[in-house]
Amino acid sequence: MSIAARSAFFHFSTRLQPWTGLKSTANNLKSPAVCCQRKKSSYTPPPAKYGGRHTVTLIPGDGIGPELLNHVRELFRFCCVPVDFEIVRVDSSASSEDDINNAVTAIKRNGVALKGNIETNHNLPPSHKSKNKLLRTSLDLYANVMHCQSLPGVPTRHKDIDVVIIRENTEGEYSSLEHENVPGVVESLKIITRVNSLRIAEYAFNLAREKGRRKVTAVHKANIMKLGDGLFLQCCKEVAAGYPDITFDNMIVDNTTMQLVSKPQQFDVMVMPNLYGNIVSNVCAGLVGGPGLVPGVNYGKDYAVFETATRNTGKSIANKNIANPTATLLASCLMLDHLKLHAYARMIRKAVLKTLSETQLHTADLGGQGTTSEVLHSIMQEIQRGGPRTTEQI
Amino acid sequence: MATLTKALKPILGRQLGNTAKVFGASVNSQRGKPTYSGRIIPPPAKYGGRHTVTLIPGDGIGPELLNHVRELFRFSCVPVDFEVVHVDSASTSEDDINNAITAIRRNGVALKGNIETNHTMPSNHKSRNNLLRTSLDLYANVMHCQSLPGVQTRHKNIDIIIIRENTEGEYSSLEHESVSGVVESLKIITRNNSLRIADYAFRLAREKGRRRVTAVHKANIMKLADGLFLQCCKEVASGYPDIEFDSMIVDNTTMQLVSKPHQFDVMVMPNLYGNVVSNVCAGLVGGPGLVPGANYGRDYAVFETATRNTGKSIANRNIANPTAMLLASCLMLDHLKLHDYANMIRGAILTTMNETRLHTIDIGESVSLHHCLLLKDICTSSK
């Protein structure tokens, strides 16, 4: 089949999707062809669909996820962004995994997703796995990247923070492999593999080089977990040898967190296994102003999923119109950049930052009085004031 | 029997180890009996009314700071003698650390500097500090993190007690490489140890009149392991209705600590989270040079700095901050029920910190003040 015919078939089956229940078989038929097409070169964004509009999977999640993602959709419609959302709901309380499997299939189809956090109720039995985790491991989204920057206009105790945190996203302490051989004694397995460690280190150094960063710091606890984190550290050192222009050093996680709290400006790019990444990214998010400000991305070889960096469900502030939409909006800008729709991304990002810094319209988490809808309204006004996007030259 | 052993000490020297093993049973049983409230009885005063405490210099800044402690104690006429046991971190044999452990079993109390763990050595070379903690079953690491008024920090008035399980969890040192390139590291959580540490935490909270205990965990991901820990904490909490209990996931905890640390009162957690959280808190109140830590077991207590830094880069340059080590020695004096001396030394340290404002380089003093000057000031204040 020629490429044109293949993509025509692809468009055709996508169009059929709402009316037939055959989408899964259609997927199976077309996915090998689509995947081959994608894997041939360095990552290319999913091809523009019929009419030049991209389709992105949207997973509302729980808590503040649905309302914030609605705002994103509203904003995109207002700015005429050529992106359509395919909404896939995942029920966090259902014990069956069908929901999340549907979501995974949708992401495989579209290649890009924007999601809210799905709640993991830890009172449910251990056979009920974390849905977020299932998503990350099924799609092999091995790198979680969080760019933590002090935003002007947000009052914080530390200034001028600019740290990129790269966290291994699929293994480590999040293996979900636990067992109780003897009653009252639980063994939890932390898995570190050479392949994944090399991969994430390679990703980190590549990213550092692309962004013109000078230093990569590996965070570990190899003095205690000699084999596990020792292997991780060794892989990082091996990869570092291939990037002589970038300085490589390492730091133990406890010292890292202490240094972050006193002198965070010393860090540039940090790479680490899963759990330390979780803690360090939350510390950094706290330093720049809280969970409502920082977007995060999960990259795999073929897929990318965008969400807030600290993955909070925010149950206590859900549906009260007080959540800070900045993180989700900035995440959607990252998604637009990924789809190569840079002009739209810049426009929205500029409006968001202007609302934060010049208009100083802050939500409750930043100590202000604004509601979510007020912030959105202000952002829309900024965009309108900026004029049609074609004249924006930033 | 205990006094006879002590009298014979200078004469018998090396053979003391064996003698202690023979007499050890009786000495330990006398020491090991907890009172009804579970408090540890300090070791009986030795011959002449002076206590003997094991001193492990460690590496880096340990030896110099512990020398200063000894100097200060001599100056203040504190009735404590130190039995110095050197542990060589570079040697592969475990004799050194076993000698140290025997000495601590004998004396019951120790003051130590951190022993360096070189992570380029083969994996069968265990961390000496870890060996010490597990052999003596020092199950609770307690760190009382308080803002000192004279120290410039971004957060004011922090007062948090962190209780960290000290023997199991991620520090089990059980790792294997079944398939080449795939390492499995075991994190062990047991019901017994979790109940024990939770009980310790609630009892301490009650003794100190604290209102709330927060358990820090990651049970959404490690459902069985941290789930068990959390469940044990809940069970123990039900026996202390006067104390509020809540739980928080570790990532949220660290984020809250960095923005609003005043919401925390007493925190209890497994080993690795304890490590990270205590370092974050130490960073909040001014750095590793200010906070003392204590490791308590049923029969033994070992005092050291809370963040266990070796400080290799500042060793022997006379710039290290002695506050953490000195406050740790005050905790030790409190443990030995020598409260007057403890209060005197602590008062002098705090006066130097807060009123005289003589600070070392780590707290951001622009003039490099040597810690000897600091000590001199403490000595004059304590007069």
Side-chain angles (χ1 to χ4, degrees):
Chain A
M1 256 210 266
S2 72
I3 292 179
R6 233 183 269 151
S7 36
F9 174 66
F10 179 63
H11 296 159
F12 185 58
S13 41
T14 336
R15 284 291 119 197
L16 270 181
Q17 183 207 324
W19 299 294
T20 64
L22 296 171
K23 69 171 172 349
S24 46
T25 42
N27 271 344
N28 292 337
L29 281 174
K30 69 165 162 33
S31 51
V34 174
C35 280
C36 290
Q37 191 178 5
R38 234 179 261 156
K39 277 178 188 143
K40 267 187 204 126
S41 53
S42 64
Y43 182 79
T44 45
K49 307 291 160 56
Y50 184 71
R53 297 176 67 80
H54 288 78
T55 309
V56 166
T57 309
L58 190 84
I59 302 171
D62 300 310
I64 50 174
E67 63 182 281
L68 292 183
L69 290 170
N70 272 341
H71 288 308
V72 169
R73 284 191 352 208
E74 227 176 270
L75 190 65
F76 274 26
R77 203 172 299 137
F78 177 81
C79 306
C80 310
V81 176
V83 168
D84 290 319
F85 287 106
E86 180 192 343
I87 303 176
V88 183
R89 283 183 213 284
V90 176
D91 184 5
S92 55
S93 47
S95 45
S96 98
E97 294 187 1
D98 288 345
D99 277 357
I100 196 68
N101 286 336
N102 286 343
V104 169
T105 313
I107 301 176
K108 286 194 180 162
R109 182 170 51 245
N110 295 321
V112 179
L114 189 58
K115 75 182 269 282
N117 198 42
I118 305 161
E119 191 193 346
T120 308
N121 188 349
H122 38 102
N123 296 320
L124 289 173
S127 53
H128 180 174
K129 300 207 170 91
S130 159
K131 305 261 193 276
N132 300 303
K133 216 186 135 298
L134 268 176
L135 203 127
R136 292 192 291 264
T137 45
S138 320
L139 297 168
D140 199 26
L141 302 171
Y142 65 92
N144 179 291
V145 181
M146 168 178 158
H147 187 181
C148 211
Q149 273 174 308
S150 293
L151 298 176
V154 179
T156 51
R157 293 183 176 89
H158 302 262
K159 313 277 171 231
D160 300 323
I161 297 177
D162 192 354
V163 184
V164 178
I165 296 167
I166 297 160
R167 160 189 177 186
E168 210 294 325
N169 214 10
T170 50
E171 57 173 21
E173 297 82 352
Y174 286 47
S175 61
S176 295
L177 296 167
E178 300 179 291
H179 53 246
E180 196 169 351
N181 283 339
V182 175
V185 178
V186 174
E187 287 181 354
S188 188
L189 286 140
K190 161 178 166 163
I191 316 277
I192 301 272
T193 57
R194 194 173 163 71
V195 171
N196 287 349
S197 304
L198 283 172
R199 191 168 64 162
I200 193 70
E202 188 65 52
Y203 185 92
F205 278 90
N206 238 335
L207 192 76
R209 187 171 264 175
E210 267 176 44
K211 302 216 170 200
R213 297 282 189 158
R214 296 265 56 91
K215 191 170 86 184
V216 173
T217 308
V219 178
H220 64 96
K221 191 125 183 100
N223 52 343
I224 300 290
M225 285 177 261
K226 294 171 189 298
L227 282 187
D229 287 349
L231 176 61
F232 181 82
L233 197 55
Q234 196 191 325
C235 293
C236 290
K237 283 182 182 153
E238 283 175 26
V239 172
Y243 290 81
D245 52 324
I246 299 175
T247 321
F248 172 70
D249 67 354
N250 63 74
M251 201 184 264
I252 299 183
V253 63
D254 50 16
N255 193 19
T256 308
T257 46
M258 187 157 59
Q259 298 290 331
L260 270 172
V261 167
S262 35
K263 281 178 258 150
Q265 293 82 4
Q266 60 180 297
F267 295 105
D268 194 358
V269 177
M270 299 163 81
V271 63
M272 58 200 91
N274 219 331
L275 183 69
Y276 312 145
N278 186 9
I279 295 172
V280 168
S281 53
N282 273 268
V283 172
C284 289
L287 293 175
V288 300
L293 292 178
V294 200
V297 195
N298 304 287
Y299 288 110
K301 198 162 70 91
D302 302 315
Y303 314 110
V305 175
F306 299 81
E307 54 177 352
T308 62
T310 47
R311 302 173 178 164
N312 295 93
T313 332
K315 266 194 306 178
S316 56
I317 53 171
N319 299 319
K320 289 190 186 158
N321 205 18
I322 51 173
N324 192 339
T326 310
T328 313
L329 289 171
L330 290 176
S332 62
C333 291
L334 289 175
M335 180 190 79
L336 292 172
D337 274 324
H338 181 78
L339 294 172
K340 307 264 193 282
L341 296 170
H342 296 297
Y344 291 105
R346 274 200 292 269
M347 175 176 76
I348 296 177
R349 193 175 285 129
K350 192 159 164 240
V352 170
L353 294 178
K354 211 157 178 202
T355 305
L356 265 183
S357 49
E358 286 170 41
T359 325
Q360 294 271 331
L361 190 62
H362 291 172
T363 42
D365 62 319
L366 297 174
Q369 310 286 335
T371 60
T372 318
S373 26
E374 277 173 26
V375 174
L376 251 305
H377 190 68
S378 166
I379 294 171
M380 286 184 187
Q381 275 182 326
E382 278 303 326
I383 292 175
Q384 221 165 27
R385 213 172 294 148
R389 82 169 167 84
T390 47
T391 63
E392 286 290 1
Q393 290 296 321
I394 297 146
Chain B
M1 274 202 176
T3 45
L4 184 65
T5 325
K6 282 301 128 199
L8 283 176
K9 174 166 67 146
I11 307 159
L12 288 177
R14 199 73 178 49
Q15 291 176 353
L16 184 63
N18 298 330
T19 341
K21 282 196 189 93
V22 169
F23 294 132
S26 54
V27 172
N28 273 343
S29 58
Q30 190 177 4
R31 207 181 291 150
K33 284 200 182 67
T35 55
Y36 179 69
S37 64
R39 298 167 70 84
I40 302 169
I41 309 169
K46 306 291 159 55
Y47 184 69
R50 299 175 67 81
H51 289 80
T52 309
V53 166
T54 309
L55 190 85
I56 302 170
D59 301 307
I61 51 173
E64 62 183 285
L65 293 183
L66 289 170
N67 273 339
H68 289 305
V69 170
R70 288 200 314 202
E71 225 176 271
L72 190 65
F73 274 25
R74 201 171 301 139
F75 179 82
S76 317
C77 305
V78 177
V80 168
D81 291 320
F82 286 107
E83 180 190 346
V84 182
V85 183
H86 289 278
V87 175
D88 183 6
S89 54
S91 87
T92 43
S93 100
E94 293 188 2
D95 288 345
D96 276 354
I97 195 69
N98 286 336
N99 285 342
I101 292 169
T102 314
I104 301 176
R105 282 195 218 270
R106 184 169 49 244
N107 297 320
V109 179
L111 189 58
K112 74 181 272 282
N114 198 43
I115 304 162
E116 191 193 344
T117 308
N118 188 350
H119 38 101
T120 52
M121 286 183 87
S123 52
N124 55 359
H125 182 242
K126 300 207 173 91
S127 158
R128 302 281 182 254
N129 302 303
N130 202 7
L131 266 177
L132 202 126
R133 291 189 293 262
T134 46
S135 318
L136 297 169
D137 199 25
L138 301 171
Y139 63 91
N141 178 290
V142 180
M143 169 179 158
H144 187 181
C145 212
Q146 271 174 308
S147 292
L148 297 178
V151 180
Q152 283 274 21
T153 49
R154 294 183 176 91
H155 303 263
K156 314 275 172 235
N157 300 326
I158 296 178
D159 191 355
I160 304 176
I161 297 181
I162 297 167
I163 297 158
R164 160 189 176 185
E165 209 293 327
N166 215 8
T167 51
E168 56 174 22
E170 296 82 351
Y171 286 47
S172 61
S173 297
L174 295 167
E175 299 180 292
H176 54 247
E177 196 168 351
S178 304
V179 174
S180 128
V182 178
V183 174
E184 288 182 351
S185 192
L186 285 135
K187 163 180 166 162
I188 316 278
I189 300 273
T190 57
R191 194 174 163 69
N192 281 343
N193 287 349
S194 304
L195 284 172
R196 190 167 63 162
I197 194 72
D199 198 55
Y200 185 92
F202 278 90
R203 257 189 299 119
L204 191 76
R206 186 172 266 175
E207 267 175 46
K208 303 223 169 191
R210 297 284 189 155
R211 295 267 54 91
R212 195 169 81 220
V213 173
T214 308
V216 178
H217 64 96
K218 190 118 186 107
N220 51 345
I221 300 291
M222 285 177 260
K223 294 171 189 295
L224 282 187
D226 285 349
L228 176 61
F229 180 82
L230 197 56
Q231 194 191 326
C232 294
C233 289
K234 284 182 181 153
E235 283 177 24
V236 172
S238 55
Y240 291 81
D242 52 326
I243 298 175
E244 226 182 284
F245 171 72
D246 64 357
S247 69
M248 201 185 264
I249 300 184
V250 62
D251 51 15
N252 193 19
T253 307
T254 46
M255 186 157 60
Q256 298 289 330
L257 270 172
V258 167
S259 36
K260 286 179 247 142
H262 304 99
Q263 58 182 299
F264 296 105
D265 193 0
V266 177
M267 299 164 81
V268 63
M269 58 201 90
N271 219 332
L272 183 69
Y273 312 145
N275 187 8
V276 173
V277 169
S278 52
N279 274 267
V280 172
C281 289
L284 293 176
V285 298
L290 292 178
V291 200
N295 304 287
Y296 293 108
R298 201 172 63 106
D299 302 316
Y300 314 109
V302 175
F303 300 87
E304 55 176 350
T305 61
T307 46
R308 302 173 177 164
N309 295 94
T310 331
K312 264 192 310 177
S313 56
I314 54 172
N316 299 318
R317 283 162 58 187
N318 207 13
I319 51 172
N321 193 339
T323 310
M325 198 57 88
L326 292 171
L327 288 175
S329 62
C330 291
L331 288 177
M332 181 189 78
L333 292 173
D334 274 324
H335 180 78
L336 294 173
K337 305 264 193 283
L338 297 170
H339 296 297
D340 293 334
Y341 293 104
N343 289 334
M344 174 178 77
I345 295 177
R346 197 176 284 127
I349 296 170
L350 295 177
T351 311
T352 307
M353 271 282 126
N354 307 332
E355 289 167 41
T356 327
R357 304 234 170 190
L358 201 64
H359 290 169
T360 43
I361 238 176
D362 60 318
I363 325 179
E365 188 59 47
S366 54
V367 176
S368 140
L369 283 164
H370 298 308
H371 64 191
C372 281
L373 279 178
L374 195 64
L375 280 161
K376 234 171 106 180
D377 199 80
I378 293 172
C379 292
T380 35
S381 319
S382 69
K383 272 244 163 254

